[in-house]
């Protein structure tokens, strides 16, 4: 009887103890990318996962869970077990803007544990090739001359490309007709095919199509030109001074996960960012590495809260009605 009681007590204690970091990870890790395969979020995470799996000694799988500007995928991660095996990939759109655009059913700060800030990039104003404009002023004049609002591809309300579109409308006074996709990968396919007029997109998603001449670039939303594409002017130079936007990405875990697991995942991501081959692949897409002092979990949390404070008023002033 005493032996049976001890066995039950021991079993209960074993269940009560959270997954320990020294056994983490003991199986594959899934990173939920809340946008379609082939887009900038998907591309960045797959490049990083290739290296992180070697550091962690377990497969790092990318699962695309799309819809509602990325909030469906983030919600899946938020409601997963806080055991380090389901990771949320996101960015300024999903982990900041979505909170002003949707009634999420979760709290972007209280329900998520920041892990690491990932690379960032400016947005880029790109259009289909057969528009009679070569410069941003000519493009804006063409948009103004159209009888109806021109079509702008996005990854859904609250996505980075949608927020960039709202910002574009605010600084130009022009109206856009948004066309939502499950990511800017599919949106880019339609832009190349001439089905939509423009995207204010992540540079990393558009730069190779610009280089191939299949779409046209007018400016990047930064104060300085891209080292990887110095021929593209900045918005300051091209006639929209001050139209600056940096889209940063990051990794989060559900709240309640142990600090040791956060630190283990953070270390694997930082090691990937420092790997020369990984760094070159990302930089060639116009992505900028996070500064050394911005790579702690706390730094991502501080940035996320500051960006919520910065962007929510603009989003709400744009008239977007929370869904
Ligand atoms: C966005 O516009 O939020 C992202 O670029 C979408 C994506 O990564 O596909």
């Amino acid at each position: 009887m005493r032996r049976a009681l001890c066995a039950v007590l021991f079993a209960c204690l074993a269940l009560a103890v959270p997954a320990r970091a020294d056994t983490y990870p003991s199986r594959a890790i899934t990173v939920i990318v809340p946008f379609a395969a082939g887009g900038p979020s998907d591309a960045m995470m797959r490049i990083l996962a290739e290296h992180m799996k070697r550091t962690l000694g377990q497969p790092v799988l990318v699962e695309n869970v799309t819809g509602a500007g990325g909030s469906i995928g983030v919600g899946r991660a938020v409601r997963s077990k806080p055991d380090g095996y389901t990771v949320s990939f996101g960015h300024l759109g999903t982990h900041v803007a979505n909170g002003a655009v949707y009634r999420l059913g979760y709290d972007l700060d209280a329900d998520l544990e920041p892990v690491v800030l990932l690379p960032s990039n400016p947005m880029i104003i790109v259009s289909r090739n057969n528009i009679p404009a070569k410069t941003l002023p000519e493009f804006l004049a063409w948009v103004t001359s159209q009888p109806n609002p021109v079509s702008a591809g996005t990854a859904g309300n609250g996505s980075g490309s949608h927020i960039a579109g709202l910002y574009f409308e605010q600084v130009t006074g022009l109206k856009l007709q948004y066309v939502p996709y499950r990511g800017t990968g599919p949106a880019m396919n339609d832009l190349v095919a001439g089905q939509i007029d423009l995207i204010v997109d992540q540079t990393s998603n558009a730069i190779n199509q610009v280089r191939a001449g299949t779409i046209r670039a007018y400016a990047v939303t930064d104060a300085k030109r891209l080292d990887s594409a110095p021929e593209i002017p900045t918005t300051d130079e091209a006639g929209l001074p001050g139209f600056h936007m940096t889209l940063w990405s990051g990794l989060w875990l559900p709240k309640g996960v142990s600090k040791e697991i956060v630190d283990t995942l953070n270390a694997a991501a930082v090691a990937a960012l420092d790997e020369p081959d990984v760094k070159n692949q990302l930089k060639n897409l116009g992505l900028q590495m996070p500064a050394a002092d911005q790579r702690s979990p706390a730094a991502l949390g501080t940035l996320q809260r500051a960006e919520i404070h910065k962007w929510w008023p603009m989003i709400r002033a744009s008239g977007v009605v929370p869904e």
Side-chain angles (χ1 to χ4, degrees), residues 35-36 39-42 91 155 159-162 182-185 201-202 247:
F35 297 107
S41 302
D42 184 68
H91 58 32
S159 64
S161 43
H162 177 234
R182 290 189 171 275
T184 45
D201 196 1
Q202 287 195 61
L247 192 128

Side-chain angles (χ1 to χ4, degrees), residues 15-31:
L15 285 174
V17 174
R20 291 163 38 122
D22 54 9
T23 61
Y24 173 80
S26 59
R27 55 188 168 85
I29 293 169
T30 297
V31 181

Side-chain angles (χ1 to χ4, degrees), residues 32-36 41 63-67 69-71 73-74 89-90 94 182:
I32 294 180
V33 169
F35 297 107
S41 302
E63 183 181 358
N64 303 90
V65 179
T66 64
S71 60
V74 175
F89 176 100
T94 55
R182 290 189 171 275

Side-chain angles (χ1 to χ4, degrees), residues 140 143-144 165-176 240:
L140 296 178
V143 173
T144 305
L166 294 179
Y167 196 1
F168 176 89
E169 287 182 311
Q170 188 185 65
V171 297
T172 62
L174 296 169
K175 285 307 286 174
L176 298 175
L240 286 178

